[in-house]
Amino acid sequence: MQTHVLVAHPAFPPVQVRGMEARVIGHDANWLRLRWRIEGSAGLVVPAFAGKGRADELWKTTCFEAFLQPEGGSAYVELNLSPSERWAAYDFTAPREGMSERAMPREPDCTMRQGSSFAIFDAAIPAAGLPNAVCNLGLTAVIEEDGGVKSYWALAHGAEHPDFHDPACFKAQLAAPPGA
């Protein structure tokens, strides 16, 4: 699977984080598996373990996000995935419009591993809770470092301020799962 380099929004540079990559590591009829790798993670603020469950406002600290927009439409799905194991899923009818909670058949699985100079965040999202189509894909992250410094990472940024809902961020493509 292809590795995508994420870039920090220039208005919010990181302090110690030197780079980030995201990739789809698996996609079948059961799961969409995503991985983010953070280089320079010594000062990374990782939310405390909270156990599985839905939660809002995960983006206020270190959080990983995916946006899936079926090709040819304006509606999309937003997934927020936290190292705390909390998660959220929303439907939007258009950029930042018509937000509603998205039903999921089961909870995503999330794990965070930290090395001496890098961290890896893995997420497995139930495919039955996602669009069953070819999608434009946005892979993003909010990274908090010591001292409350936050940086906003995406495949691309299309605005003066960070906005992961901007279609300019949906630069990757995700094939429909096998058998779709």
Side-chain angles (χ1 to χ4, degrees), residues 86-173:
R86 296 291 178 168
W87 61 277
Y90 306 101
D91 283 314
F92 288 85
T93 57
R96 295 199 176 274
E97 293 180 14
M99 180 177 152
S100 62
E101 194 171 273
R102 184 172 185 87
M104 293 297 276
R106 63 178 286 186
E107 297 188 282
D109 290 323
C110 301
T111 58
M112 181 96 173
R113 298 182 308 274
Q114 286 191 266
S116 59
S117 64
F118 68 93
I120 293 176
F121 180 79
D122 285 330
I125 301 107
L130 302 174
N132 195 15
V134 174
C135 290
N136 297 320
L137 177 65
L139 296 167
T140 65
V142 175
I143 299 298
E144 183 175 356
E145 296 180 80
D146 292 338
V149 173
K150 291 182 187 161
S151 54
Y152 301 86
W153 298 76
L155 298 170
H157 296 280
E160 182 179 324
H161 299 286
D163 182 2
F164 296 155
H165 294 258
D166 185 328
C169 295
F170 304 173
K171 288 289 188 193
Q173 193 163 69

Side-chain angles (χ1 to χ4, degrees), residues 44-47 58 60-64 81-83 112 142-144:
L44 184 65
V45 173
V46 178
L58 296 171
K60 289 188 171 183
T61 187
T62 298
C63 175
F64 302 86
L81 306 156
S82 172
M112 181 96 173
V142 175
I143 299 298
E144 183 175 356

